[in-house]
Amino acid sequence: MTEYDFKLSQEIELLRLVAVGSVDDGKSTLIGRLLVDTKGAFEDQLLAVRKKRGQAHIASPEEIDLAMLTDGLAAEREQGITIDVAYRYFATPKRKFIMADCPGHEQYTRNMVTGASTANAAIILIDARNGVMPQTRRHTHILGLLGIPHLIVAVNKMDLVGYEQSVFEAIRAEMREYCAKQGIRDLICIPISALNGDMVAVRGEHMDWYTGKTLLETLETLSVMDDIDRKPFRFPVQLVNRPQTRELPDYRGFMGTIASGTVRVGDEVMVASSGLKTHIKEIVTFDGNLEEAFAPQSVSLTLTDEIDVSRGDMLVHPDTPPQDTRDLSANVCWIGAEPLTRRKKYLIKHTTNTVKAMVAEIEFRRNIHTLEQEAADALEMNEIGRITFRLQKPMYYDAYADNRVTGSFIIIDTFTNNTVGAGMIV
Amino acid sequence: MAERISEHRLTQLKALEAESIHIMREVVAEFRNPVMLYSIGKDSSVMLHLARKAFYPAPLPFPLLHVDTGYKFPEMYEFRDWYAREIGAELIVRRNEEAIARGMNPKEYGVARCCGALKTQGLLDALEEGGYDAAFGGARRDEERSRAKERVFSIRDEFGQWDPKNQRPELWNIYNGRIHEGESVRVFPLSNWTEMDIWLYIREENIPIVPLYYAKKRLMVERGPLLIPVYPGMEDQLHEGEEPVEVMCRFRTLGCIPCTGAVRSEAATIDEIVAEAAAARRSERETRIIDHGSNSMEDKKKEGYF
């Protein structure tokens, strides 16, 4: 029996990734490659997608149809495309990775937004033969809007351009310029061949001219340190827990996930909407009460005074209150089949709070090729624009650039109940 | 358990725990009548443990529902009843009595039909009978490639069916729980956990699991690459020429006796199981007969299977 290092396993951090690209850039192949090279795929799973039937063992990754490993739906395997976001898991001794594999087809951009919204880092696939495509720009722009901290451009299929350095340099220069225009600074470019494995988990022998880290090394060493615990304390209340049992007749716990910041027993806190103040009595968890809790822990808070607090309220420190408004301005990525139009009413779900909202103004639509602002009467599916909503009651929020949790919302169609938009508050 | 890597940073298991608790609380806040599907396996054990954490110090705000096929291991029934009592949970057991009375079994009717009747139909009937609008399930996305496409909140139509091509986008940790009358939602709080995470968490949190997961000598027959258990009274489910032999083995996943294979293993403690899982080269679902065949999981899921 091999020894397992339990101590090491307790130091593993989580990195949420998203992989995006145009059709046929080889995302599925890259992810298949990462799964194979990190042993994230099992032998029986690999045997099920081998190219030649009847083989009992896989001698080399070339014998596997890597894309078949990730394209989970029958329709995808039929059409040879990725339709829906697939989540994949792999780990190295340093990190566990959750990777969202996102479709490249334009009509499925909504799924890309889904996969990217939770990511700390993004891999943008570019086919070295085709260079930067319109979809690449759209995806990069969305990743910028979604505030993904690290963007990695993987220039794939280098094997098909003779591992030529100049091809890579040209794409890198173009992407740098495009990203600089929208203020994205942290951009890493890596030449790879997902099919052959060069510069993915191993350096390979073909690109000695590239001196940077391999893709996997890059993923293992990216900083996952964010300062979420040092931001102002935000606690959106999910539920009020009142067991009213014989043992706990008077217990009143406010359950929630700390969106940002740190809270300690004795802290003065304020209900953002009412301004009512009280103090933290206890921080309750199943594993015992805590003296201090921080984002993104899920805890229950009890308060020293019986004040009115319910689902949708937010507890904050009185000296660092959030902003409030009934006229909400946000960047919106529209993902509904029906266009967003002026005066139309929707529901907005922001943290644990759902409010009625009306489209007051379409300030502009963003041309994703030129990044210019254009006048528009509607936002169609997959379009991005700046929208002002009139809210039925005030919202307590932070700008998305400051806080991804209290700065984001979803837009819900009241007729279909579908999620039709993603909003990032400016 | 080590909570933090450094000050104010969670280990990946604690980050997963916080995410799962958040999901469960959203469901209880937004749905009228949730239920937790409890299959007695290791994933169910973890899900139930997380639910206890989520609503502590209150009792669970929803019942547990076990959709029984009558073919589960005796150790599973024993564990189920003991554990539900131990933690004071309300346990509902439902079976497709009509199909059971007709003698539904995998040998005569085939695995797909048997599962369809006893598990899928049994589940759909139980959900309808209870009027549940949300059902927690312990499925993980790393289990199988069609599960990798599942949302955390997965909407089912009034027939309990899944439409994989038309799933709601799921953004940040904001879950859209709005459904029409008659629709329901399957919720997967363990979506982002892997098999390895489950074992590590069971170890660190000391979560009780069915003893079948630990290796010991058991009576088995060899069927192709699988070890199939032999239990008294179920000899008629054996195939021609199969001879029971004692094998040191354990189960990586638990299902119905005739359709769940064991693996040869010496891992008799949780530490040994973790080490074995870390070194495993074959997926745990390989021991489940139901998964074999093209598209099988996706087709079953569309029909309403978990």
Side-chain angles (χ1 to χ4, degrees):
Chain A
M1 180 81 50
T2 42
E3 286 295 309
Y4 184 79
D5 190 340
F6 289 104
K7 200 169 168 300
L8 193 66
S9 79
Q10 291 179 342
E11 286 162 17
I12 293 178
E13 292 172 297
L14 191 60
L15 183 67
R16 293 175 201 256
L17 288 169
V18 59
V20 300
S22 300
V23 183
D24 296 332
D25 282 343
K27 281 187 314 294
S28 297
T29 308
L30 173 64
I31 293 168
R33 164 63 61 188
L34 284 167
L35 290 176
V36 171
D37 289 357
T38 59
K39 300 186 170 55
F42 291 107
E43 214 168 82
D44 52 304
Q45 293 171 332
L46 296 178
L47 279 171
V49 295
R50 66 198 182 283
K51 287 174 184 160
K52 282 188 203 137
R53 300 193 68 81
Q55 231 168 284
H57 290 286
I58 306 282
S60 85
E62 282 90 82
E63 291 168 10
I64 307 158
D65 189 341
L66 292 168
M68 290 282 276
L69 196 60
T70 54
D71 289 339
L73 303 176
E76 296 178 316
R77 294 193 292 277
E78 260 161 45
Q79 300 173 45
I81 55 163
T82 308
I83 292 173
D84 206 337
V85 189
Y87 292 90
R88 287 288 157 187
Y89 304 83
F90 58 98
T92 68
K94 294 191 182 114
R95 277 197 181 156
K96 173 182 168 177
F97 301 95
I98 301 178
M99 179 182 273
D101 175 14
C102 292
H105 291 258
E106 187 161 324
Q107 64 266 43
Y108 300 117
T109 296
R110 59 188 213 138
N111 289 323
M112 192 219 113
V113 178
T114 300
S117 65
T118 51
N120 299 321
I123 301 174
I124 303 164
L125 262 285
I126 293 179
D127 185 331
R129 295 169 304 172
N130 303 332
V132 180
M133 305 286 284
Q135 276 286 330
T136 317
R137 292 201 185 87
R138 180 198 301 277
H139 288 157
T140 306
H141 181 62
I142 295 172
L143 294 171
L145 267 187
L146 285 165
I148 314 292
H150 307 279
L151 299 191
I152 302 163
V153 171
V155 180
N156 191 24
K157 306 197 184 182
M158 287 300 291
D159 49 314
L160 298 182
V161 296
Y163 296 103
E164 192 48 62
Q165 182 175 3
S166 60
V167 175
F168 170 74
E169 297 291 355
I171 292 171
R172 174 158 69 178
E174 191 177 346
M175 282 303 286
R176 277 193 176 156
E177 194 195 327
Y178 182 77
C179 286
K181 262 199 227 168
Q182 45 192 311
I184 299 170
R185 280 179 309 274
D186 192 350
L187 185 74
I188 300 164
C189 295
I190 307 172
I192 65 165
S193 165
L195 191 66
N196 298 332
D198 299 84
M199 289 305 295
V200 179
V202 294
R203 301 197 68 83
E205 292 161 4
H206 300 100
M207 291 182 284
D208 290 341
W209 47 263
Y210 183 79
T211 53
K213 292 174 182 157
T214 64
L215 180 60
L216 196 60
E217 273 179 277
T218 306
L219 296 176
E220 280 187 315
T221 51
L222 279 181
S223 163
V224 288
M225 271 296 272
D226 47 21
D227 50 356
I228 188 87
D229 60 303
R230 282 191 294 272
K231 290 182 174 173
F233 171 63
R234 303 285 183 254
F235 187 78
V237 175
Q238 280 187 291
L239 270 174
V240 185
N241 196 0
R242 292 178 62 221
Q244 293 180 297
T245 54
R246 193 179 312 172
E247 299 81 29
L248 300 159
D250 301 319
Y251 178 88
R252 196 158 160 260
F254 300 95
M255 307 161 93
T257 303
I258 301 173
S260 61
T262 303
V263 67
R264 297 186 63 87
V265 172
D267 278 3
E268 185 177 41
V269 290
M270 178 175 88
V271 183
S273 56
S274 64
L276 290 172
K277 289 176 196 161
T278 181
H279 292 85
I280 301 286
K281 188 170 147 199
E282 302 155 302
I283 302 169
V284 178
T285 79
F286 181 87
D287 303 303
N289 288 1
L290 305 174
E291 269 306 301
E292 179 189 70
F294 54 92
Q297 285 182 310
S298 286
V299 296
S300 291
L301 303 177
T302 63
L303 305 174
T304 52
D305 302 288
E306 284 218 5
I307 57 169
D308 182 11
V309 185
S310 57
R311 175 172 170 83
D313 282 331
M314 187 152 71
L315 296 177
V316 301
H317 286 143
D319 53 341
T320 50
Q323 303 183 64
D324 69 278
T325 187
R326 281 188 64 193
D327 298 292
L328 186 71
S329 179
N331 289 317
V332 168
C333 185
W334 195 248
I335 52 186
E338 304 267 321
L340 168 145
T341 49
R342 225 171 78 81
R343 301 204 59 79
K344 195 156 180 210
K345 295 193 178 77
Y346 297 97
L347 285 175
I348 280 181
K349 186 173 179 189
H350 167 255
T351 66
T352 59
N353 188 23
T354 304
V355 293
K356 291 191 176 124
M358 186 184 68
V359 177
E361 201 183 337
I362 301 175
E363 293 175 47
F364 59 81
R365 177 178 59 206
R366 180 81 67 183
N367 181 315
I368 65 112
H369 302 291
T370 62
L371 295 181
E372 270 161 22
Q373 302 175 5
E374 300 171 342
D377 299 325
L379 274 193
E380 303 282 344
M381 180 145 81
N382 295 318
E383 290 187 334
I384 295 162
R386 176 78 53 84
I387 311 293
T388 309
F389 295 93
R390 178 70 180 162
L391 305 178
Q392 190 237 338
K393 53 179 191 172
M395 179 184 283
Y396 298 85
Y397 71 95
D398 297 287
Y400 186 80
D402 297 328
N403 193 319
R404 275 173 90 180
V405 182
T406 54
S408 58
F409 60 85
I410 60 169
I411 305 166
I412 299 168
D413 185 297
T414 53
F415 182 72
T416 63
N417 283 337
N418 280 334
T419 304
V420 290
M424 289 144 280
I425 305 171
V426 292
Chain B
M1 159 166 190
E3 302 256 334
R4 304 164 186 194
I5 287 157
S6 61
E7 209 196 358
H8 294 181
R9 293 173 80 196
L10 296 176
T11 63
Q12 69 107 358
L13 281 180
K14 279 285 167 188
L16 290 173
E17 177 191 86
E19 179 184 84
S20 300
I21 290 174
H22 176 81
I23 292 164
M24 290 180 179
R25 289 170 169 179
E26 279 301 282
V27 171
V28 169
E30 296 214 334
F31 290 84
R32 193 175 28 85
N33 190 16
V35 69
M36 177 166 279
L37 299 180
Y38 179 64
S39 72
I40 324 175
K42 64 183 191 309
D43 303 307
S44 276
S45 280
V46 167
M47 179 166 65
L48 185 50
H49 187 74
L50 290 165
R52 296 176 68 199
K53 287 198 171 193
F55 302 101
Y56 176 87
L60 290 185
F62 40 73
L64 307 180
L65 171 64
H66 178 223
V67 179
D68 186 19
T69 60
Y71 283 114
K72 302 295 175 193
F73 295 82
E75 292 91 333
M76 291 172 73
Y77 293 118
E78 200 181 308
F79 180 88
R80 175 193 73 189
D81 296 339
W82 164 76
Y83 196 48
R85 232 185 1 257
E86 181 77 15
I87 64 171
E90 183 195 345
L91 173 70
I92 300 167
V93 178
R94 284 291 175 273
R95 316 200 302 172
N96 183 347
E97 295 295 353
E98 197 187 319
I100 290 171
R102 287 185 187 188
M104 178 53 74
N105 71 75
K107 192 182 170 192
E108 271 174 77
Y109 293 89
V111 177
R113 259 185 90 185
C114 187
C115 260
L118 296 184
K119 292 168 88 175
T120 307
Q121 198 53 48
L123 170 63
L124 293 175
D125 291 348
L127 291 178
E128 195 173 322
E129 183 198 331
Y132 303 114
D133 53 355
F136 292 104
R140 310 186 321 264
R141 285 179 181 146
D142 79 322
E143 279 179 78
E144 202 274 341
R145 61 182 170 180
S146 72
R147 286 206 160 143
K149 305 253 159 174
E150 185 86 79
R151 299 286 192 264
V152 173
F153 275 40
S154 186
I155 312 291
R156 302 302 160 110
D157 65 18
E158 60 209 295
F159 300 100
Q161 316 278 293
W162 183 53
D163 181 3
K165 278 204 209 169
N166 199 18
Q167 301 194 77
R168 272 184 195 169
E170 216 159 58
L171 298 134
W172 297 288
N173 64 350
I174 314 174
Y175 299 100
N176 176 359
R178 297 183 74 84
I179 52 170
H180 294 291
E181 189 64 35
E183 290 178 337
S184 62
V185 61
R186 304 272 174 94
V187 181
F188 303 104
L190 302 183
S191 284
N192 286 326
W193 295 61
T194 63
E195 185 192 6
M196 197 60 200
D197 297 328
I198 294 288
W199 285 122
L200 283 170
Y201 192 69
I202 287 171
R203 177 185 179 272
E204 301 209 352
E205 297 276 319
N206 251 319
I207 301 170
I209 50 171
V210 181
L212 291 165
Y213 286 113
Y214 298 108
K216 75 174 214 191
K217 281 202 164 153
R218 297 185 169 94
L219 212 52
M220 295 280 161
V221 294
E222 291 187 51
R223 187 177 298 164
L226 302 177
L227 284 173
I228 304 289
V230 183
Y231 272 79
M234 301 198 77
E235 292 86 354
D236 57 332
Q237 289 297 312
L238 295 184
H239 294 191
E240 278 272 316
E242 287 180 337
E243 269 307 313
V245 284
E246 275 216 326
V247 185
M248 186 72 175
C249 62
R250 68 179 202 88
F251 293 86
R252 280 178 78 183
T253 73
L254 292 179
C256 294
I257 297 174
C259 295
T260 304
V263 291
R264 288 175 199 279
S265 169
E266 305 280 326
T269 66
I270 187 70
D271 284 13
E272 286 166 357
I273 290 175
V274 172
E276 194 180 274
R281 296 302 308 129
R282 302 179 84 85
S283 77
E284 59 176 356
R285 291 213 68 98
E286 194 192 39
T287 58
R288 298 293 279 271
I289 290 169
I290 184 165
D291 291 352
H292 300 185
S294 64
N295 294 344
S296 56
M297 176 71 88
E298 181 183 346
D299 291 342
K300 280 182 191 62
K301 279 170 56 59
K302 284 184 187 164
E303 297 291 318
Y305 180 74
F306 239 95

